[in-house]
Amino acid sequence: MPTPPTPSATILSTWKHGLPANDAALAILARGGSALDAVEAGARVVELDCPDRSVGLGGMPDRDGIVTLDASIMTDDGRCGSVAAVEGVVHPISLARRVMEDTPHCLLVGEGARQFAQFCKLEVRANTLSPEAEQAWRKWLVEKNYAPVVNIENHDTISLLALDQHGRLAAASTTSGLSFKMHGRVGDSPIVGAGIYVEPKVGGAVCTGLGEMVLRTLGAFVAADCMRRGAKPQEACEEALRIVMAKNAADPKTYQVGMLALDFDGNIGAAAVQTGFNYALGRIENGATSNTLFDARHLV
Ligand code: SD4
């Protein structure tokens, strides 16, 4: 007998722009829609309108003045799709989903990913800079200080986790990556296991922050694996971040990594290396909907 639907659902998103993302996701979850549709819809909101210029075509460029985008999506049956270093694609999260659903592959990069977007008839534009991003890039060019320090303030990649009314869980992440990165640099966000991971029957985890720190330890996988071994989502985020800090030589005060986790009971975890990481939690419980911004616990 299939499990009857439960009248609850959860959406968890990084940073303040998680609030409008959650609103879009909650609309889907409220009508019994899938966690997969919810995380995609939430990511698409921020891809179109990210005031902090860290997601989508309005995002900050690399050091050559070119915006390159990374995105990934994963479901609780182990399916996943990603795109990396793709140019001109308005909704890289939807392209990642098409990689997952319509190809035998997990990851497409660069020009091949862009061509696949055209094949899928997803919107592709000329890759021009927004006026704000161009101004910031020209200012950066004056000194060309290549110090990939991710902010400890309130802006960054959007990464999402959703649990729907039918008990299905999905994760997604989409970003323009580190501002003024080297052309061709890919962060953690499109790398399954690093920026996002869903462990079937256990739960999922997602990351934001300085991708190199997460890539070296496959942060999201580590957090999900902690849950597989019995940790609650909060304990899992903190344990995974301790491992990130232990395995990276850099002083943790010089970088930020934030993590969110969600299990199949709707328990959540949120933690960051240092202060400044906030997240939006959306819930549907007994017919009532909430969407609230919280500060995550920090470890240093
Ligand atoms: C990256 N974690 O590319 C991602 C995104 C990010 O500001 O932090 N962007 O490293």
Side-chain angles (χ1 to χ4, degrees):
M1 280 270 290
T3 315
T6 55
S8 65
T10 301
I11 174 79
L12 192 56
S13 301
T14 54
W15 306 107
K16 191 177 172 187
H17 51 208
L19 288 170
N22 282 3
D23 284 339
L26 284 164
I28 289 170
L29 295 170
R31 57 175 186 261
S34 71
L36 177 61
D37 286 343
V39 292
E40 182 187 11
R44 285 173 64 97
V45 168
V46 185
E47 285 175 339
L48 268 193
D49 181 15
C50 180
D52 298 315
R53 302 192 303 275
S54 48
V55 179
L57 288 179
M60 296 290 252
D62 61 23
R63 57 201 306 182
D64 297 337
I66 302 165
V67 177
T68 64
L69 304 175
D70 297 339
S72 61
I73 199 157
M74 187 165 193
T75 55
D76 66 25
D77 52 5
R79 293 181 302 144
C80 59
S82 306
V83 292
V86 65
E87 295 180 31
V89 175
V90 176
H91 288 299
I93 196 64
S94 298
L95 184 58
R97 182 170 177 174
R98 296 296 292 264
V99 171
M100 177 175 85
E101 293 183 331
D102 298 343
T103 81
H105 306 305
C106 294
L107 170 62
L108 292 182
V109 306
E111 180 56 16
R114 198 185 67 85
Q115 286 171 4
F116 182 56
Q118 288 173 319
F119 173 81
C120 293
K121 302 205 176 338
L122 297 179
E123 191 178 352
V124 178
R125 293 184 190 160
N127 199 8
T128 53
L129 293 181
S130 70
E132 297 82 8
E134 171 142 19
Q135 193 183 23
W137 175 59
R138 294 207 176 278
K139 195 171 160 199
W140 176 82
L141 279 177
V142 174
E143 292 200 356
K144 291 189 185 168
N145 180 16
Y146 189 59
V149 176
V150 161
N151 67 83
I152 56 167
E153 296 147 22
N154 185 17
H155 53 91
D156 226 317
T157 297
I158 178 132
S159 300
L160 314 93
L161 287 160
L163 177 66
D164 67 31
Q165 296 198 34
H166 309 278
R168 296 168 299 198
L169 199 148
S173 185
T174 182
T175 185
S176 53
L178 202 58
S179 305
F180 317 129
K181 61 195 176 185
M182 287 178 69
H183 186 61
R185 178 265 189 189
V186 169
D188 59 316
S189 311
I191 305 302
V192 167
I196 73 169
Y197 195 71
V198 180
E199 179 67 36
K201 299 188 172 56
V202 172
V206 293
C207 300
T208 181
L210 185 53
E212 281 71 9
M213 303 300 165
V214 177
L215 277 166
R216 291 189 186 106
T217 56
L218 293 180
F221 175 81
V222 169
D225 203 52
C226 288
M227 290 195 283
R228 186 183 61 77
R229 288 183 283 113
K232 293 282 181 209
Q234 183 64 33
E235 295 165 342
C237 289
E238 294 181 20
E239 178 63 14
L241 285 172
R242 276 188 217 104
I243 291 170
V244 166
M245 289 190 286
K247 291 199 174 172
N248 281 291
D251 179 350
K253 291 205 169 62
T254 65
Y255 63 87
Q256 177 66 304
V257 173
M259 276 192 198
L260 300 176
L262 174 66
D263 70 15
F264 281 87
D265 294 324
N267 299 309
I268 69 153
V273 168
Q274 54 182 299
T275 185
F277 173 48
N278 51 22
Y279 64 97
L281 171 62
R283 294 268 202 203
I284 298 168
E285 281 167 311
N286 303 319
T289 300
S290 61
N291 188 14
T292 313
L293 194 68
F294 293 96
D295 289 322
R297 181 143 186 235
H298 58 96
L299 303 190
V300 300

